[in-house]
Amino acid sequence: MMRHNWFPNPMLGDPKPTRSLDCSVNQWGSPGSPGIILRHSSDLIGGYAEWVVSGLPAGVRCAFVASCGAAEATDTFRGPLMEVRDSRSATLGRSENWANNRRLRVGLTVPSDGVVRLIFRGRTGKDTAFYQIICTEAGSDESFFTGSTMPLNIN
């Protein structure tokens, strides 16, 4: 089976989210662990970055997966660290509201228009990193994509 990663490879240059609030988004990590960092611009609220991804196959079960960076026990986040919404802003899935160096997974079913909004939220007043980001078909081999197998383009 051919695997797809619908999240753009951050090692191709600075990733450009469709929308960001209270942060700038930059490339982060190494070739073996590519990722993004939400550089906070407010000490009062965490960053928010969103990618609108289209062309996904309607009705397919997918997984939005990423590793988050370090967080202290007293840190708060803007909301769920990761969330998926459809083109009309209905929530399809979300992760927990706090995590420290963990692999996070949000399961979803692709809506009929094939459009999803992949959302990241950062820590209040601090930069927040996410690594090994994928949006792929759900299944036993979701971990197929690593730094060395990240596709160069969005499929």
Side-chain angles (χ1 to χ4, degrees):
M1 175 168 111
M2 181 175 206
R3 302 299 293 172
H4 300 89
N5 181 6
W6 287 286
F7 190 83
N9 185 340
M11 295 312 285
L12 294 178
D14 279 342
K16 302 294 183 225
T18 307
R19 179 178 181 207
S20 63
L21 300 169
D22 305 313
C23 69
S24 59
V25 179
N26 299 107
Q27 179 184 55
W28 191 254
S30 64
S33 187
I36 60 170
I37 189 163
L38 279 58
R39 296 218 179 263
H40 75 285
S41 58
S42 168
D43 290 333
L44 305 175
I45 194 164
Y48 173 100
E50 167 186 318
W51 279 260
V52 175
V53 180
S54 59
L56 279 71
V60 170
R61 291 278 311 142
C62 287
F64 176 36
V65 186
S67 295
C68 70
E72 298 173 21
T74 56
D75 285 343
T76 58
F77 289 80
R78 188 174 186 128
L81 278 74
M82 296 167 42
E83 183 174 2
V84 181
R85 293 183 181 177
D86 67 14
S87 58
R88 292 174 299 281
S89 295
T91 299
L92 302 175
R94 60 174 49 140
S95 72
E96 49 266 74
N97 291 332
W98 186 92
N100 175 30
N101 288 320
R102 287 202 28 227
R103 192 83 173 141
L104 304 172
R105 182 187 186 279
V106 178
L108 66 130
T109 300
V110 177
S112 61
D113 64 2
V115 177
V116 295
R117 295 168 46 204
L118 305 176
I119 299 166
F120 295 93
R121 291 185 181 89
R123 297 179 294 163
T124 301
K126 296 181 181 178
D127 297 344
T128 307
F130 295 91
Y131 305 89
Q132 301 284 0
I133 305 162
I134 62 171
C135 181
T136 190
E137 298 90 342
S140 60
D141 59 349
E142 291 170 10
S143 62
F144 172 79
F145 293 107
T146 64
S148 60
T149 58
M150 291 289 279
L152 297 178
N153 298 311
I154 299 174
N155 291 327

